[in-house]
């Protein structure tokens, strides 16, 4: 059994409770590359007694999908191994200031932020973050203003925005990203669709625009 755990490369949909996962348990999966899981932190848990799952110890992990439930995490609790290439997060309800931990991941190529992972009206991206990101998906977030420069996503190829019903527009400077191939907008405000159409009017070679409207979103 121990040999099987050591050789395991993919694990789907276990449920971990913060504080119950020990370093010894983590080291039982030294070759894990793909993990989809649920993490629960009880509301009455203290930060000291129930730390967040130590994903940074999985040094070969490349794909990680977490649905989180429970007590809101504090700064410093959320950490990932530098090996991560694909990251999908749901339900964390974190302030946008916490996203710097993700932005600094050197090998991250795909990032999907879903279902209230980050909350707050404004996200301002920073220089030297997301240097290798190729695909970004924002799904069901309450963001209103997204301040971004094309310099901040210099290798982005695909942008997907879905059901961000309060977002006012896609930053027009996104159009300056030379690697960008696809922008998809699904069920967002008309002003978001209009901003994407303004990008489309730039007639950028190789860039494809897909818009799926929702009549219920003004």
């Amino acid at each position: 059994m121990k040999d099987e755990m050591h050789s395991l490369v993919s694990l789907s949909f276990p449920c971990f409770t913060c504080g119950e996962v020990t370093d010894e348990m983590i080291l039982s999966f030294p070759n894990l590359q793909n993990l989809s899981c649920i993490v629960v932190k009880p509301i009455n848990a203290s930060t000291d007694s129930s730390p967040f799952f130590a994903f940074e110890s999985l040094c070969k992990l490349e794909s990680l999908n977490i649905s989180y439930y429970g007590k809101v995490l504090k700064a410093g609790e959320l950490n990932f191994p530098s090996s991560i290439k694909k990251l999908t997060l749901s339900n964390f309800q974190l302030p946008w200031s916490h996203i710097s931990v993700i932005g600094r991941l050197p090998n991250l190529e795909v990032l999907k932020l879903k279902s209230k992972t980050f909350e707050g009206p404004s996200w301002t991206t920073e220089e030297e973050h997301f240097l290798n990101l190729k695909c970004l998906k924002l799904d069901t977030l309450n963001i209103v203003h997204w301040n971004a420069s094309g310099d901040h996503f210099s290798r982005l190829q695909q942008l997907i925005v879905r059901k961000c019903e309060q977002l006012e527009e896609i930053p027009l400077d996104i159009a300056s990203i030379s690697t960008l191939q696809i922008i998809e907008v699904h069920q967002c405000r008309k002003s978001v669709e209009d901003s994407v159409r303004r990008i489309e009017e730039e007639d950028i070679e190789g860039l494809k625009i897909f818009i799926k409207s929702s009549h219920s979103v003004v």
Side-chain angles (χ1 to χ4, degrees):
M1 181 67 177
K2 185 176 181 180
D3 289 340
E4 291 179 359
M5 293 172 66
H6 271 258
S7 62
L8 193 68
V9 295
S10 295
L11 185 61
S12 295
F13 300 112
C15 182
F16 302 112
T17 299
C18 295
E20 295 182 355
V21 181
T22 65
D23 291 340
E24 183 178 355
M25 291 175 62
I26 295 170
L27 294 174
S28 298
F29 305 99
N31 294 302
L32 197 64
Q33 296 177 18
N34 309 289
L35 174 62
S36 295
C37 64
I38 296 170
V39 176
V40 178
K41 185 167 188 176
I43 298 298
N44 60 356
S46 70
T47 300
D48 293 335
S49 63
S50 301
F52 188 65
F53 187 79
F55 291 102
E56 68 270 23
S57 299
L58 299 171
C59 59
K60 294 187 179 180
L61 197 63
E62 295 185 359
S63 178
L64 177 60
N65 185 333
I66 313 173
S67 293
Y68 177 76
Y69 300 93
K71 187 175 182 179
V72 176
L73 300 178
K74 295 181 179 179
E77 287 191 87
L78 192 66
N79 290 291
F80 304 105
S82 60
S83 56
I84 287 289
K85 294 182 178 180
K86 181 178 181 180
L87 183 62
T88 303
L89 302 177
S90 303
N91 299 316
F92 280 81
Q93 301 183 58
L94 294 167
W96 282 104
S97 58
H98 284 50
I99 201 171
S100 59
V101 172
I102 299 172
R104 289 192 292 266
L105 292 171
N107 297 300
L108 187 65
E109 296 181 354
V110 177
L111 176 61
K112 298 180 180 181
L113 304 176
K114 304 169 65 177
S115 301
K116 301 181 181 180
T117 289
F118 287 97
E119 293 197 300
S122 181
W123 174 27
T124 299
T125 56
E126 301 179 40
E127 293 184 4
E128 304 302 321
H129 283 188
F130 302 108
L131 296 179
N132 289 300
L133 195 68
K134 296 179 180 179
C135 176
L136 174 62
K137 183 174 184 178
L138 308 178
D139 189 342
T140 321
L141 305 176
N142 66 357
I143 184 173
V144 179
H145 305 289
W146 179 20
N147 305 307
S149 164
D151 295 335
H152 297 166
F153 300 95
S154 58
R155 297 189 179 182
L156 193 68
Q157 297 177 4
Q158 185 175 16
L159 172 63
I160 305 168
V161 181
R162 178 180 178 274
K163 296 189 74 172
C164 294
E165 297 181 352
Q166 299 181 51
L167 183 64
E168 293 187 349
E169 65 177 12
I170 302 295
L172 297 181
D173 200 41
I174 290 292
S176 67
I177 302 175
S178 61
T179 55
L180 193 60
Q181 300 174 6
I182 297 173
I183 298 177
E184 296 184 31
V185 170
H186 302 264
Q187 296 174 280
C188 292
R189 297 170 65 119
K190 184 178 182 299
S191 60
V192 171
E193 297 177 6
D194 290 343
S195 66
V196 173
R197 290 191 175 97
R198 288 197 295 272
I199 292 175
E200 188 173 29
E201 289 172 358
E202 297 291 328
D203 197 24
I204 300 170
E205 184 177 358
L207 179 60
K208 297 180 180 179
I209 304 292
F210 299 94
I211 298 175
K212 182 177 180 180
S213 297
S214 173
H215 297 296
S216 62
V217 181
V218 178

